[in-house]
Amino acid sequence: MCKSGLMNGGPYVGLNLGITMIPDEKDVTKVLGTLSSLLSLDYEPVGRWFEAHHRRAHSLHSHSHHSLDSSSSESEEEAEEDQFDDEDESLLLRLDPKEWKKQDHYAVLGLSKLRYRASEDQIKRAYKLKVLTHHPDKRKARGKVVKDGEDDYFTCITKAYEILGNKQKRRSFDSVDPEFEDSIPSSTKENFFEVFGPAFDRNSRWSIKKRVPKLGDENTPFEDVNNFYSFWYEFESWREFSYLDEEEKELGENREERRWIEKQNKAARQKLKREEMVRLRQLVDNAYTCDPRILKFKEEEKERKNAVKRAKQEAARLRQEEEDKKRNEILEAERKKREKEEEIAKAQAMLAKKEKDAFKKQLKKERKTLRGFMKDLDYFAENDNDRITMMQNLDKLLELLTLPHLQELNESLSKDKANGKNSFMQKLKVVNDQIDEEKRQHLELTQQKSSGDHHSVGKSWSELEIQTLIKGVNLFPAGTQDRWEVIANFITQHVPGNNKNAKDVLSKAKELQKNDVKLREEVKKNAFSQYEQSHKAAKSGDMDKPSERLESVGEQQVRETGTNPAPWTADEQKLLEQALKSFPASEADRWDKIASVVSSRSKKDCMKRYKELCELVKAKKQAQTAVAAKNKKS
């Protein structure tokens, strides 16, 4: 290939001619190209060549000892035949050809060592060896006595090969292999891997899937352990029990008998299949129960869940503390705001009280002055009867005239006592006219109410019924199903002896809607009067002291009973609802805390309002339920 060249500074042998080339002095070395980079290729050692190399390496033999010619094949066959059983003629002589189904076919052919691992070729060679030795003709040639017909044990050898040489029949026999150990290890935590590892290896031969995971050891990761138990809990076995069929279907005389035999055999196979699956499941359950890795993983999982739970609890605690902090800040801000408002209200009350006291003092002074003027002028009377009349008129003016009018009258009397009677009589006339106007308006209102009662459906309405009607209209707004029947039922529940129906309620509601607002105000005033009478509250006109006469009934009620009879405002209602949510029923001193939030109401007011709201909701549900039941019956 090359005429000349250098290699390691010396001559080299030509590849094509096999002669030594000595370079001349004129030869020149040239670089014609560069070599490509080295490639790394992976090869899997398989085939007869690798097998021969493996045998030479392990037996320390030379190449000549294991050549790849026919002698090598013969030596391989001899090595495989070493795995066959030793000849045991006594075993064959004990065989009963009629009981062939109970015999061990592998032992008959001398394959007890290999059993289900024996290849088809090994089965054929084992059968050939048995034929050469135990065929009746061979035995006769050796001078042995041979039975005629099917009673000869050679029939068992032929039957064994007939079954093991057929894939389907061999599979059926392997399923009931008499040498297979069906026992299940009991639950034990000692030597777990040494006890359960061989058991799983034995039973893995029945798997339809070829790649069966191993049990592993104590260092196997969780994912592999999980895959192992998932595989075995979903294990699919090819093991079937047709070999144990008591009767053969082909022996049936007709189709019906063959079908019956097949049905009986199928039922027996299914029963054995279920027992097999129960056995395998028991094996997996026992292993899973006492597997130290599963116990370890469960403990770790439990600890992880507890850590997550503790983290959630800690986060919830911090969140609750933050909410409590914000709520306390809000409550503190509200408390400070309330205290500030109370201070302002207190200052305003003090100022109002001073103004009120000054007003009372000035009013008392003007009344005293007017009495002095009238006494000095002898009440503008000429006789005792006139004097008594004028004194009564004076008392009326002193009671009804305001402070500016009293000052005006006193000023006119002080300036011109001669015309003082005219000024006095003018003021008296104004007061009498006001009284007459009030009486007239009251009479008109009474007449209007009487005429309104005339137009009702012939049924009188009491004050309690009207109040309950107004409550029902507010409680059941427009859009409520069977609204007027529900309101009529609501009135019946809260007013004993009520006989108003839906038509009466609708008529009265329209009447109240047409009337002036004064009518509803009058109803509210009458209700408040009843409330005063029920609580025995004294009226302002019956009090002796002027300060008590000027004090409102609500203020007196708060002072005497600790309650505020005034209607609840929207702001108070909102504060009450918020406080009910903030302070649950399980909290101590709940109502004291609620009353501290609703500053304008006492603890008793808050509890009473809560009961009223509960009763309203309950009454609303009862009224709607009653009407629904009535409609259902009709």
Side-chain angles (χ1 to χ4, degrees):
M1 294 176 61
C2 298
K3 293 182 178 180
S4 63
L6 294 175
M7 181 176 289
N8 297 328
Y12 64 91
V13 179
L15 297 180
N16 58 343
L17 299 178
I19 60 175
T20 304
M21 302 293 293
I22 300 175
D24 297 335
E25 296 179 357
K26 297 180 180 180
D27 290 339
V28 179
T29 302
K30 294 182 180 179
V31 177
L32 301 178
T34 58
L35 296 175
S36 61
S37 58
L38 298 177
L39 297 178
S40 177
L41 300 178
D42 295 331
Y43 295 96
E44 183 178 0
V46 294
R48 295 171 59 196
W49 296 93
F50 175 75
E51 185 180 5
H53 168 74
H54 183 270
R55 288 181 177 179
R56 287 195 304 271
H58 285 271
S59 60
L60 301 178
H61 290 164
S62 62
H63 274 278
S64 60
H65 212 92
H66 288 281
S67 60
L68 296 175
D69 54 6
S70 60
S71 61
S72 176
S73 301
E74 293 176 359
S75 62
E76 291 175 5
E77 292 179 0
E78 292 175 358
E80 290 181 357
E81 289 176 359
D82 290 341
Q83 299 180 7
F84 294 166
D85 298 342
D86 296 334
E87 185 66 31
D88 187 3
E89 189 173 354
S90 62
L91 171 66
L92 299 177
L93 294 175
R94 290 195 302 269
L95 294 176
D96 185 0
K98 296 180 181 179
E99 299 293 333
W100 63 267
K101 206 167 188 177
K102 296 181 180 180
Q103 71 186 16
D104 184 355
H105 300 302
Y106 286 112
V108 170
L109 294 182
L111 297 173
S112 298
K113 298 178 182 178
L114 295 175
R115 302 198 71 77
Y116 70 93
R117 295 187 300 274
S119 65
E120 295 180 4
D121 189 54
Q122 288 173 332
I123 293 174
K124 288 181 181 180
R125 284 203 301 275
Y127 175 65
K128 288 180 181 180
L129 291 175
K130 293 296 181 182
V131 169
L132 293 173
T133 306
H134 299 283
H135 192 275
D137 294 340
K138 299 293 183 180
R139 283 183 289 159
K140 286 180 181 180
R142 291 198 299 270
K144 292 185 177 182
V145 179
V146 179
K147 296 180 180 180
D148 296 332
E150 296 182 356
D151 293 336
D152 189 64
Y153 69 86
F154 186 74
T155 306
C156 297
I157 297 175
T158 305
K159 198 66 177 179
Y161 179 70
E162 179 184 343
I163 291 175
L164 298 181
N166 184 290
K167 289 185 178 180
Q168 186 174 357
K169 292 181 179 180
R170 182 185 179 186
R171 185 185 185 94
S172 179
F173 176 73
D174 286 343
S175 297
V176 295
D177 190 347
E179 297 294 326
F180 179 73
E181 185 179 354
D182 283 340
S183 62
I184 299 297
S186 60
S187 300
T188 176
K189 296 181 180 179
E190 297 180 0
N191 302 325
F192 171 79
F193 298 101
E194 290 77 3
V195 172
F196 282 92
F200 280 106
D201 290 340
R202 288 196 305 270
N203 287 275
S204 63
R205 63 180 286 191
W206 311 122
S207 176
I208 294 177
K209 299 177 181 178
K210 297 303 179 184
R211 295 185 178 180
V212 181
K214 297 294 183 179
L215 180 62
D217 53 23
E218 57 185 8
N219 298 321
T220 304
F222 172 76
E223 184 177 356
D224 294 344
V225 175
N226 188 43
N227 292 336
F228 173 81
Y229 283 105
S230 299
F231 176 86
W232 279 96
Y233 272 117
E234 299 173 0
F235 187 79
E236 297 181 17
S237 174
W238 58 263
R239 194 177 188 185
E240 48 94 7
F241 301 92
S242 59
Y243 188 82
L244 299 178
D245 292 346
E246 294 183 0
E247 298 186 39
E248 295 184 15
K249 182 176 69 173
E250 290 76 8
L251 299 180
E253 296 181 356
N254 50 48
R255 184 172 62 180
E256 286 74 15
E257 186 176 354
R258 287 193 292 272
R259 285 183 177 177
W260 183 85
I261 293 173
E262 178 64 21
K263 184 178 179 181
Q264 296 298 319
N265 292 337
K266 187 177 180 180
R269 294 174 201 167
Q270 289 178 349
K271 180 180 178 182
L272 293 173
K273 185 72 173 180
R274 286 194 296 270
E275 293 176 356
E276 171 67 6
M277 297 310 297
V278 170
R279 185 187 69 84
L280 291 174
R281 185 59 181 263
Q282 186 64 40
L283 169 65
V284 182
D285 287 342
N286 290 352
Y288 189 85
T289 301
C290 57
D291 193 335
R293 301 168 300 181
I294 297 297
L295 300 177
K296 178 183 176 183
F297 295 148
K298 285 184 177 180
E299 289 294 330
E300 292 177 353
E301 181 67 15
K302 183 178 179 181
E303 183 61 27
R304 186 186 65 81
K305 289 183 178 179
N306 290 336
V308 172
K309 185 177 180 181
R310 288 193 296 269
K312 288 183 179 179
Q313 291 176 349
E314 183 66 17
R317 186 184 64 80
L318 295 175
R319 186 167 57 254
Q320 185 64 33
E321 290 180 355
E322 186 67 21
E323 291 177 359
D324 293 342
K325 183 179 179 181
K326 291 181 179 179
R327 184 169 61 250
N328 292 334
E329 290 176 355
I330 293 173
L331 293 176
E332 183 66 18
E334 290 179 354
R335 185 186 63 80
K336 291 181 179 180
K337 181 180 178 182
R338 188 168 58 252
E339 290 178 354
K340 186 176 181 181
E341 291 175 353
E342 289 176 356
E343 290 178 0
I344 296 174
K346 187 176 181 181
Q348 292 177 351
M350 291 294 294
L351 181 60
K353 186 175 183 302
K354 290 180 180 179
E355 294 177 353
K356 186 177 180 181
D357 293 341
F359 175 79
K360 290 179 182 179
K361 187 175 181 181
Q362 185 68 21
L363 183 63
K364 185 176 181 181
K365 179 181 178 182
E366 294 297 333
R367 286 175 177 174
K368 185 177 180 181
T369 302
L370 181 58
R371 286 183 184 277
F373 282 142
M374 293 298 292
K375 188 175 181 180
D376 293 341
L377 297 173
D378 198 16
Y379 302 101
F380 305 111
E382 297 178 354
N383 52 45
D384 291 341
N385 292 331
D386 292 342
R387 186 177 292 104
I388 293 173
T389 302
M390 293 300 290
M391 289 177 69
Q392 291 176 350
N393 292 332
L394 175 62
D395 290 337
K396 184 187 295 185
L397 290 178
L398 291 174
E399 183 67 26
L400 299 177
L401 282 181
T402 60
L403 180 60
H405 290 90
L406 285 173
Q407 290 175 344
E408 182 182 353
L409 181 57
N410 287 332
E411 186 178 356
S412 62
L413 289 176
S414 63
K415 290 182 179 178
D416 189 3
K417 293 184 179 181
N419 295 324
K421 186 175 181 180
N422 295 330
S423 300
F424 183 84
M425 296 307 293
Q426 287 178 359
K427 294 294 183 184
L428 182 61
K429 184 177 181 303
V430 171
V431 170
N432 288 333
D433 291 342
Q434 290 178 354
I435 293 174
D436 293 339
E437 179 64 22
E438 290 177 0
K439 287 181 179 180
R440 185 185 64 78
Q441 291 178 357
H442 182 68
L443 181 61
E444 289 179 356
L445 185 61
T446 306
Q447 291 176 353
Q448 185 180 6
K449 180 179 178 183
S450 300
S451 66
D453 291 340
H454 261 320
H455 290 295
S456 64
V457 197
K459 296 182 181 178
S460 60
W461 286 73
S462 64
E463 294 294 336
L464 181 58
E465 289 175 339
I466 294 174
Q467 295 171 25
T468 311
L469 172 61
I470 294 173
K471 282 184 180 179
V473 171
N474 294 330
L475 188 61
F476 304 99
T480 305
Q481 186 177 5
D482 300 325
R483 182 189 184 195
W484 301 111
E485 293 184 3
V486 173
I487 295 175
N489 201 2
F490 177 75
I491 297 174
T492 303
Q493 291 176 356
H494 291 79
V495 181
N498 174 67
N499 60 348
K500 307 298 186 299
N501 54 28
K503 189 175 181 181
D504 299 334
V505 172
L506 177 60
S507 177
K508 190 63 177 177
K510 289 182 178 179
E511 177 189 336
L512 290 175
Q513 191 175 9
K514 289 179 181 177
N515 291 338
D516 195 10
V517 182
K518 292 182 179 179
L519 183 59
R520 278 176 275 181
E521 294 295 332
E522 183 182 357
V523 172
K524 292 181 180 178
K525 289 180 181 178
N526 292 337
F528 187 66
S529 300
Q530 292 178 5
Y531 178 83
E532 284 183 288
Q533 291 175 5
S534 64
H535 289 74
K536 297 181 181 180
K539 296 184 179 179
S540 59
D542 297 336
M543 298 180 183
D544 298 332
K545 297 180 182 180
S547 60
E548 292 179 348
R549 187 164 62 249
L550 294 172
E551 184 180 20
S552 66
V553 177
E555 293 174 351
Q556 182 187 3
Q557 188 72 15
V558 172
R559 189 183 71 251
E560 291 180 355
T561 64
T563 59
N564 187 355
W568 281 69
T569 63
D571 294 336
E572 291 175 340
Q573 182 71 23
K574 187 175 181 181
L575 288 173
L576 176 62
E577 293 174 359
Q578 184 178 359
L580 287 171
K581 293 179 182 178
S582 301
F583 305 107
S586 59
E587 191 165 350
D589 301 329
R590 183 193 186 197
W591 293 104
D592 293 331
K593 296 178 181 179
I594 293 175
S596 65
V597 175
V598 189
S599 58
S600 57
R601 297 288 177 172
S602 64
K603 174 182 176 182
K604 190 174 181 181
D605 289 332
C606 295
M607 295 175 68
K608 184 177 179 182
R609 181 61 176 172
Y610 177 74
K611 290 180 180 179
E612 290 175 355
L613 294 174
C614 293
E615 291 175 358
L616 282 175
V617 173
K618 184 177 179 182
K620 183 176 180 180
K621 290 183 178 178
Q622 290 177 353
Q624 290 177 334
T625 305
V627 173
K630 184 178 179 182
N631 293 337
K632 188 176 181 180
K633 289 181 180 179
S634 61

